[in-house]
Amino acid sequence: MFFAFAIIIFCIFSDQISKYLARKYLKNKKSRRINKNIKLTYVENSGGANGLFSGNYLVLYIVTFISLFICLLLFEHYDIQNNTFYVALFGNCFQNF
């Protein structure tokens, strides 16, 4: 169970750090080209994944809460604490709050 919480904390921490760095180095600036295949552009998203429920925070929070509840049921019912995909999904859901 400790491993699952460590992954969740890592997901949240890395997400917040990447957002902070993007705001600091990319906001109000032109796109930055890293190499010929990678270009970084700052974009803000007020919704969930890919703008899902953009501007409708109540629906986003309800869907997130239901997703977290389902993840907790899966953790409890099945022995998936060691399955990295479900743990990362739980961490991602938590970031919407």
Side-chain angles (χ1 to χ4, degrees), residues 20-32:
Y20 168 77
L21 292 173
R23 279 191 301 273
K24 183 175 180 179
Y25 293 109
L26 296 174
K27 189 172 185 177
N28 300 324
K29 296 179 181 166
K30 293 183 179 181
S31 297
R32 298 184 83 171

Side-chain angles (χ1 to χ4, degrees), residues 20-71:
Y20 168 77
L21 292 173
R23 279 191 301 273
K24 183 175 180 179
Y25 293 109
L26 296 174
K27 189 172 185 177
N28 300 324
K29 296 179 181 166
K30 293 183 179 181
S31 297
R32 298 184 83 171
R33 184 163 295 283
I34 304 298
N35 60 34
K36 75 175 198 169
N37 296 320
I38 299 174
K39 181 171 90 171
L40 299 176
T41 304
Y42 182 81
V43 177
E44 288 191 10
N45 176 12
S46 64
N50 300 317
L52 192 65
F53 308 119
S54 182
N56 195 345
Y57 295 110
L58 180 62
V59 174
L60 178 63
Y61 290 146
I62 290 170
V63 169
T64 301
F65 181 75
I66 291 169
S67 299
L68 286 170
F69 184 72
I70 290 171
C71 284

Side-chain angles (χ1 to χ4, degrees), residues 75-87:
F75 283 156
E76 197 65 33
H77 186 65
Y78 300 104
D79 187 27
I80 60 172
Q81 283 89 357
N82 293 325
N83 190 322
T84 308
F85 171 76
Y86 289 107
V87 173

